[in-house]
Amino acid sequence: MKSLTEEILYKVINKRLNQSHKGTYGRVLIIGGTSQFGGAVIMNTIAAINAGAGLVTVATDPSNFTAIHSHKPEAMVINFNDDLTAYINTSDVILIGSGLGNRVDLVQAVFSAISEKKITIIDGSALTLAAEKHLSWPKGQLILTPHQMEWQRVSGVPIAQQPFEAFNLLARNKFTTKPIIVLKQFHSQIYTDDGIYELPIGGPYQATGGMGDTLAGIIAGFTAQFKTATLSDKVLAAVYIHSAIADELAKTQYVTLPTQISHALPTFMKKYAD
């Protein structure tokens, strides 16, 4: 297992071209957030936009519209009860699952509508529902972002065995198209076609609700906008920067809140783009 280092940020983050526009930096569709769990999708959205995604559309419960507009007027909002096919077709990256509760009908419909050309990040409730209801995974490139209990549900690998990469590799190989797996834990593991990586940074000051939602949003923003890096490298960079910012904030704070990490992204990213 390789140790993930700061070099990944220099490799992925680049200076923006003068001749560019919002479409140049990718279209992200975020699907999640029931009326009870709207905060999750709000944190997805803040992270994706602050990470640099050009256009972000949020399909969510209408009760969340005002809150999303208050936090991030840069985002567009649509009702996740409507037909999302057209939005899926025009998006580069789809992030589904954060705060989605028991909406298996929505997960199944979205999974069925995703084509082979799309990148799909599957988080939170969507992972649990896919495992419990034995749903067929979407076509195209998948990025799974489970915490340890979610990975146990999806893969069948007990939490006690997850520190041993052989068990996780075996589970990954059972997918028709091998997904990139971000297994969230202390010293998270990232499984890619280019190798297995361990995150050596981060700490208990990140143990706050919404930390995973923020990470999923950063992954969406990075995968949508950076065109020259491989998908694996973009995911690795997103994982690294999430904890690197937390480490920086923890120098003067007892806890680092997910939204603080998102708000620090543009400034933190700048030093790797010059």
Side-chain angles (χ1 to χ4, degrees):
M1 189 176 293
K2 305 172 187 177
S3 182
L4 191 56
T5 71
E6 185 186 24
E7 287 303 310
I8 194 65
L9 301 183
Y10 289 104
K11 188 175 181 181
V12 171
I13 300 171
N14 49 44
K15 188 174 182 179
R16 291 194 163 193
L17 300 174
N18 289 333
Q19 295 296 326
S20 62
H21 53 83
K22 56 191 176 184
T24 306
Y25 302 106
R27 293 172 169 83
V28 173
L29 174 63
I30 297 173
I31 305 166
T34 61
S35 58
Q36 299 97 326
F37 304 117
V41 81
I42 292 170
M43 285 184 278
N44 285 161
T45 305
I46 296 171
I49 291 173
N50 282 27
L55 287 165
V56 175
T57 300
V58 188
T60 189
D61 188 276
S63 63
N64 297 320
F65 286 7
T66 299
I68 291 170
H69 279 148
S70 296
H71 283 280
K72 272 296 174 193
E74 296 89 348
M76 296 170 283
V77 292
I78 56 175
N79 188 336
F80 66 6
N81 296 305
D82 295 339
D83 184 359
L84 301 179
T85 304
Y87 295 96
I88 291 169
N89 290 340
T90 56
S91 297
D92 302 304
V93 176
I94 297 104
L95 165 56
I96 180 170
S98 304
L100 205 49
N102 61 0
R103 289 296 307 272
V104 65
D105 57 324
L106 180 54
V107 174
Q108 193 164 28
V110 170
F111 279 13
S112 299
I114 293 173
S115 72
E116 295 178 355
K117 296 180 180 180
K118 304 300 178 184
I119 298 168
T120 306
I121 303 161
I122 306 177
D123 186 53
S125 302
L127 290 166
T128 295
L129 292 171
E132 291 180 348
K133 305 301 180 181
H134 306 288
L135 302 182
S136 296
W137 297 99
K139 298 175 183 176
Q141 179 62 62
L142 303 183
I143 302 166
L144 310 186
T145 57
H147 57 57
Q148 288 182 290
M149 181 54 72
E150 289 165 343
W151 182 234
Q152 178 175 291
R153 294 170 187 147
V154 169
S155 68
V157 179
I159 292 175
Q161 294 180 354
Q162 290 175 16
F164 306 101
E165 60 191 80
F167 294 104
N168 300 319
L169 270 177
L170 183 62
R172 180 176 183 257
N173 289 339
K174 293 179 181 178
F175 286 82
T176 303
T177 302
K178 295 179 186 178
I180 294 172
I181 300 166
V182 179
L183 180 52
K184 297 179 293 191
Q185 56 187 316
F186 181 60
H187 297 326
S188 294
Q189 299 173 5
I190 307 95
Y191 291 78
T192 79
D193 287 338
D194 301 325
I196 306 169
Y197 296 83
E198 184 175 68
L199 180 69
I201 60 175
Y205 36 82
Q206 291 173 271
T208 303
M211 196 61 69
D213 305 316
T214 294
L215 175 58
I218 298 172
I219 293 172
F222 273 40
T223 54
Q225 77 175 296
F226 294 120
K227 309 300 184 187
T228 57
T230 66
L231 182 60
S232 294
D233 282 348
K234 289 185 279 191
V235 174
L236 292 171
V239 173
Y240 189 89
I241 202 168
H242 176 260
S243 287
I245 293 173
D247 280 3
E248 187 67 27
L249 293 172
K251 291 177 180 178
T252 57
Q253 298 180 193
Y254 183 67
V255 295
T256 61
L257 300 182
T259 49
Q260 290 179 311
I261 292 174
S262 291
H263 290 311
L265 274 165
T267 301
F268 199 87
M269 290 170 68
K270 174 65 176 173
K271 61 184 176 181
Y272 298 98
D274 294 334

